[in-house]
């Protein structure tokens, strides 16, 4: 075997057996996956909230129309 084939053969033979022999490695990989997924979810939530905030700030505040009071000249005489 040449020197280039040795690492490839080594990588193929030790595929998932290393995970069962090393529980710390398994826990570290699972934690990495969980933290990565949580980071994606939290960052999307933050971006969504920032977009909502920007949209709310950009819109002028709407006021309720003031109720119109009746005037004497609003009604017909009679």
């Amino acid at each position: 075997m040449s020197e280039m084939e040795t690492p490839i053969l080594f990588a193929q033979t030790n595929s998932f057996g290393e995970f069962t022999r090393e529980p710390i490695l398994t826990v570290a990989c699972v934690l990495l996956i969980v933290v990565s997924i949580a980071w994606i979810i939290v960052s999307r939530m933050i971006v969504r909230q920032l977009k909502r905030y920007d949209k709310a700030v950009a819109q002028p505040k709407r006021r309720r129309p003031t109720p119109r009071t009746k005037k004497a000249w609003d009604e017909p005489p009679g």
Side-chain angles (χ1 to χ4, degrees):
M1 269 193 280
S2 70
E3 290 181 25
M4 291 300 289
E5 293 176 6
T6 307
I8 294 171
L9 183 62
F10 181 71
Q12 289 174 349
T13 56
N14 291 338
S15 59
F16 289 106
E18 198 169 337
F19 287 108
T20 57
R21 285 190 311 243
E22 297 285 336
I24 293 175
L25 183 61
T26 305
V27 171
C29 288
V30 169
L31 270 172
L32 180 63
I33 292 169
V34 168
V35 168
S36 298
I37 291 172
W39 177 259
I40 292 169
I41 292 170
V42 169
S43 64
R44 287 182 60 121
M45 289 171 59
I46 290 171
V47 167
R48 186 176 296 145
Q49 290 295 327
L50 287 173
K51 285 182 181 179
R52 284 183 185 170
Y53 177 77
D54 285 344
K55 189 176 181 182
V57 168
Q59 290 179 349
K61 297 214 181 227
R62 296 181 188 168
R63 291 186 181 181
R64 269 196 270 166
T66 56
R68 189 165 181 256
T69 56
K70 279 190 167 185
K71 306 286 184 198
W73 54 85
D74 286 341
E75 293 181 16

